[in-house]
């Protein structure tokens, strides 16, 4: 069992029929245990794309001992645009509206818990349809 807020390091030693070899030098910090942080959701699934809207759905990530309380949906416009919060949801489905036609968007999800948010999940890429003339 890991302790919260504890840095963990690793070292390796060979073992064979002659015994145990020397221990390697210790690694850099491999990770710090932060219990209460959910895993990031996988890239969302984008459907029902129009010139001004899209439906976004995703699977709930593994939570283990973490109580997931909701999700933040982030959107970035264009290839280099910054992500911004566009919707909070307690469900794993939402409709994004007010989009521009014939535009590239990236959508990612963050799982929320009572303690910490997850890291952002991988983004899904989508191009909206051309506007109707």
């Amino acid at each position: 069992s890991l302790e919260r807020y504890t840095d963990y390091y690793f070292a390796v030693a060979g073992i064979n029929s002659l015994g145990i070899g020397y221990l390697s030098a210790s690694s850099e910090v491999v990770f710090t245990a932060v219990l209460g942080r959910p895993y990031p959701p996988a890239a969302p699934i984008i459907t029902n794309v129009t010139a001004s809207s899209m439906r976004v759905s995703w699977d709930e990530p593994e939570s283990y001992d973490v109580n997931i309380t909701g999700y933040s949906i982030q959107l970035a416009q264009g290839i280099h645009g910054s992500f911004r919060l566009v919707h909070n949801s307690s469900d794993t489905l939402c409709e994004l509206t007010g989009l521009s036609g014939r535009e590239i968007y990236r959508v990612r999800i963050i799982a929320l818990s009572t303690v910490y948010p997850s890291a952002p999940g991988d983004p899904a890429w989508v191009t909206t349809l051309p506007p109707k003339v």
Side-chain angles (χ1 to χ4, degrees):
S1 135
L2 301 177
E3 296 293 324
R4 291 180 189 214
Y5 315 112
T6 301
D7 291 341
Y8 286 88
Y9 303 82
F10 293 92
V12 178
I15 300 175
N16 62 24
S17 61
L18 298 176
I20 299 175
Y22 292 107
L23 201 57
S24 71
S26 180
S27 68
E28 298 293 320
V29 174
V30 174
F31 68 91
T32 301
V34 180
L35 304 178
R37 185 172 192 178
Y39 283 86
I45 298 163
I46 310 295
T47 58
N48 296 5
V49 178
T50 69
S52 63
S53 67
M54 68 178 82
R55 178 172 288 161
V56 181
S57 63
W58 59 94
D59 293 327
E60 184 173 320
E62 293 292 333
S63 60
Y64 298 100
D65 293 333
V66 177
N67 180 28
I68 294 176
T69 58
Y71 301 92
S72 290
I73 296 84
Q74 295 184 334
L75 183 71
Q77 188 171 357
I79 295 172
H80 302 291
S82 298
F83 281 97
R84 61 185 172 85
L85 175 66
V86 292
H87 188 75
N88 282 319
S89 177
S90 58
D91 198 3
T92 56
L93 174 71
C94 76
E95 189 84 19
L96 299 182
T97 60
L99 306 176
S100 299
R102 197 178 283 149
E103 183 66 53
I104 296 171
Y105 287 95
R106 293 172 289 139
V107 183
R108 69 184 184 187
I109 312 297
I110 295 174
L112 306 175
S113 77
T114 54
V115 182
Y116 297 104
S118 72
D122 290 334
W125 293 68
V126 65
T127 301
T128 52
L129 298 177
K132 292 184 180 180
V133 179

